[in-house]
Amino acid sequence: MRTRGYIEKFMEENKCITIKNLNLYYGDNHALKNINMDIFKNKITAFIGPSGCGKSTLLRCLNRMNDLIETCRIEGNIEVEGFASQIYDKSIDVNALRKSVGMVFQKPNVFPMSIFDNIAFGPRTHGIKKKPELQAIVEDSLTKAGIWNEVKDNLKKSALALSGGQQQRICIARALAVQPEILLMDEPTSALDPISTGIIEDLCDQLKKNYSIVIVTHNMQQALRIADRTAFFLLGEMIEESKTVDLFNRPQTEQCERYITGKFG
């Protein structure tokens, strides 16, 4: 029989991100307040909570996208597997971090170029120039994103000509093309129809076999369907985090219980 210590050690070894005492400020606005949590390998972790509670802000901390905001100031540590120092250390190569921790945004943001060039863009940026190698990466990435069979005969076609759901899968393929370890998804289905949403959700379930996924969603049913773990945020604080089934069936805080039962938010 496995002891509690064994299980705790197993969980420790399977963390891919550790967030410690994280505080974030936009000027005088204290947007994230003392966040402490772990993200686990090959799991889907969902961030839920009302608008403006800090979900997307925390997500953007994980690959330093908030660096682009002049008024942003961050205290605390974020450790990502594969990096010797915490990611806000001056020694960290931000480009290498963003290669390892990919991002898919709320609205499909394909580039105004061909499907092939959309997927090859990242690898080319990182020094891959040979066409056979690029062709292999494009096919592999589109296959993993579940869209290869739909576009394989039209790779020279503009990605802008695709449907919204197809464009979002192109964005996922583009993120996968640089071989990340972690995939961040900021409400990736909020602009999509139910059929496209279901395709993306099924895709996430497949992708977690090889990637660790963190997804921000306003759709609590989506979190229930696809997330292994869920964290509930309110007013910049992480109120509760646990296995998804436990958080929804046995919330430990009144705020979380009120939110998931629709009493506010």
Side-chain angles (χ1 to χ4, degrees), residues 248-260:
F248 280 92
N249 291 335
R250 295 181 293 277
Q252 300 299 302
T253 62
E254 181 183 357
Q255 298 105 309
C256 186
E257 189 273 336
R258 287 175 57 81
Y259 182 73
I260 64 177

Side-chain angles (χ1 to χ4, degrees), residues 17-257:
I17 299 176
T18 296
I19 304 167
K20 297 179 179 178
N21 305 320
L22 183 73
N23 289 274
L24 181 143
Y25 302 84
Y26 293 127
D28 294 329
N29 177 28
H30 194 176
L32 291 176
K33 303 169 185 175
N34 198 38
I35 307 294
N36 290 274
M37 70 177 298
D38 297 317
I39 307 292
F40 294 95
K41 295 181 190 177
N42 302 113
K43 303 290 184 185
I44 299 175
T45 300
F47 293 171
I48 65 170
S51 297
C53 67
K55 307 183 299 294
S56 294
T57 297
L58 179 59
L59 194 76
R60 291 194 298 267
C61 287
L62 303 181
N63 68 348
R64 291 186 53 171
M65 290 293 290
N66 286 315
D67 287 13
L68 304 174
I69 301 172
E70 286 186 10
T71 60
C72 182
R73 176 169 57 90
I74 292 173
E75 300 171 352
N77 293 339
I78 300 177
E79 299 169 7
V80 173
E81 184 184 33
F83 291 86
S85 302
Q86 71 97 0
I87 65 170
Y88 283 91
D89 190 272
K90 292 181 180 179
S91 66
I92 290 295
D93 181 341
V94 178
N95 288 328
L97 173 69
R98 291 177 184 158
K99 181 176 183 292
S100 180
V101 186
M103 188 95 173
V104 176
F105 296 93
Q106 181 174 0
K107 294 182 180 179
N109 62 334
V110 295
F111 301 149
M113 56 181 67
S114 72
I115 294 168
F116 184 96
D117 288 337
N118 263 271
I119 310 307
F121 184 89
R124 283 173 174 152
T125 300
H126 291 285
I128 298 174
K129 305 296 183 184
K130 294 181 179 178
K131 191 169 183 179
E133 192 172 356
L134 287 171
Q135 287 174 328
I137 291 170
V138 169
E139 180 174 350
D140 179 64
S141 301
L142 289 169
T143 299
K144 288 177 178 175
I147 196 172
W148 170 251
N149 288 333
E150 296 172 46
V151 301
K152 63 183 180 181
D153 297 324
N154 296 291
L155 295 179
K156 294 182 180 180
K157 182 179 179 180
S158 171
L160 293 170
L162 299 173
S163 70
Q166 288 175 318
Q167 286 188 26
Q168 192 65 300
R169 282 183 284 155
I170 292 296
C171 293
I172 292 170
R174 191 174 64 202
L176 298 179
V178 296
Q179 299 182 323
E181 300 292 328
I182 299 162
L183 193 59
L184 309 178
M185 308 181 88
D186 193 357
E187 296 190 65
T189 64
S190 65
L192 304 182
D193 61 83
I195 292 174
S196 296
T197 294
I199 292 171
I200 298 289
E201 289 180 0
D202 290 343
L203 176 59
C204 288
D205 195 53
Q206 292 298 313
L207 288 173
K208 75 175 183 180
K209 296 174 184 176
N210 297 302
Y211 306 92
S212 307
I213 298 173
V214 186
I215 182 170
V216 168
T217 180
H218 275 108
N219 186 333
M220 287 185 282
Q221 292 303 312
Q222 182 172 77
L224 269 170
R225 286 192 297 265
I226 69 171
D228 300 287
R229 301 188 69 84
T230 296
F232 167 64
F233 293 83
L234 184 65
L235 299 175
E237 298 183 63
M238 189 187 75
I239 304 298
E240 190 170 335
E241 188 273 338
S242 68
K243 290 181 179 179
T244 299
V245 66
D246 292 339
L247 185 138
F248 280 92
N249 291 335
R250 295 181 293 277
Q252 300 299 302
T253 62
E254 181 183 357
Q255 298 105 309
C256 186
E257 189 273 336

